Amino acid sequence: MTSILTVESLKDFPRKHAKGKKVVLVGGCFDVLHPGHVIFLEKAKRAGDLLVVILESDQMVKKLKGEGRPVHTQKDRALILSSVRFVDFIVMLPFLKFENQYDQVVSLIKPDIIATTKGVSSPHHQRSAKLAGAKLKYVTKLVGNHSSSRILNLKRG
């Protein structure tokens, strides 16, 4: 069963949950879940034992994706993600203004692997992995023509 956590509840995360298990961390908006997301999550899970998803706040999704987003609230996105069998933990992020705030969250989780999609990785992924002592792993390339924004634009057009 997937657990939905807050950043505040992460203080004991490694001690309580990760004992001897390889922790894989992914992050994102996951606003309109599509096959590309599911394939990515499945491949990320295969890289370790526990899959932790850090889920962006509604305010950050709006900042990143624009007006009219998110389609689903963070609470609803967490609920939807919790039904995906590959996901073990979801961390509902507050609005984080600075990259070092993400680094602090990552350091609380202490992942072994930060999984990403080839072509989507950023210097932030690399820096977070280095600071956490984690390996950055490309688990998939972009899958087909799947994109939440593209799906929404097709529906509006």
Side-chain angles (χ1 to χ4, degrees):
M1 172 135 198
T2 302
S3 295
I4 299 175
L5 308 171
T6 63
V7 171
E8 295 76 27
S9 68
L10 288 175
K11 292 176 184 75
D12 294 329
F13 179 83
R15 185 176 52 76
K16 286 174 76 175
H17 303 289
K19 302 175 226 163
K21 295 179 181 169
K22 189 182 284 187
V23 176
V24 180
L25 178 65
V26 301
C29 301
F30 299 98
D31 188 20
V32 177
L33 200 65
H34 56 68
H37 288 135
V38 175
I39 291 166
F40 169 67
L41 293 168
E42 179 182 20
K43 290 186 177 196
K45 172 69 176 202
R46 286 187 202 159
D49 303 306
L50 292 178
L51 180 60
V52 179
V53 177
I54 55 175
L55 185 61
E56 291 292 356
S57 68
D58 294 342
Q59 190 176 355
M60 181 56 77
V61 174
K62 183 175 184 167
K63 180 179 175 185
L64 293 170
K65 305 292 184 177
E67 203 56 44
R69 301 286 296 275
V71 172
H72 301 288
T73 66
Q74 185 186 45
K75 189 175 180 179
D76 287 345
R77 290 181 283 127
L79 178 64
I80 293 164
L81 277 172
S82 73
S83 71
V84 177
R85 70 177 183 261
F86 319 114
V87 177
D88 297 297
F89 296 92
I90 299 163
V91 179
M92 293 178 47
L93 294 175
F95 178 65
L96 302 176
K97 292 181 186 178
F98 306 106
E99 288 186 359
N100 69 333
Q101 293 174 300
Y102 286 93
D103 295 337
Q104 291 169 356
V105 171
V106 172
S107 71
L108 288 171
I109 297 168
K110 295 183 178 33
D112 298 288
I113 295 169
I114 295 177
T116 189
T117 301
K118 192 167 184 71
V120 176
S121 180
S122 70
H124 174 68
H125 286 119
Q126 295 163 356
R127 190 186 75 252
S128 287
K130 185 175 180 179
L131 289 170
K135 179 181 174 186
L136 183 64
K137 184 170 186 174
Y138 299 99
V139 295
T140 187
K141 48 188 176 174
L142 287 174
V143 179
N145 197 15
H146 299 291
S147 153
S148 298
S149 297
R150 188 185 71 74
I151 291 166
L152 291 170
N153 286 335
L154 286 174
K155 297 294 181 199
R156 290 181 187 135

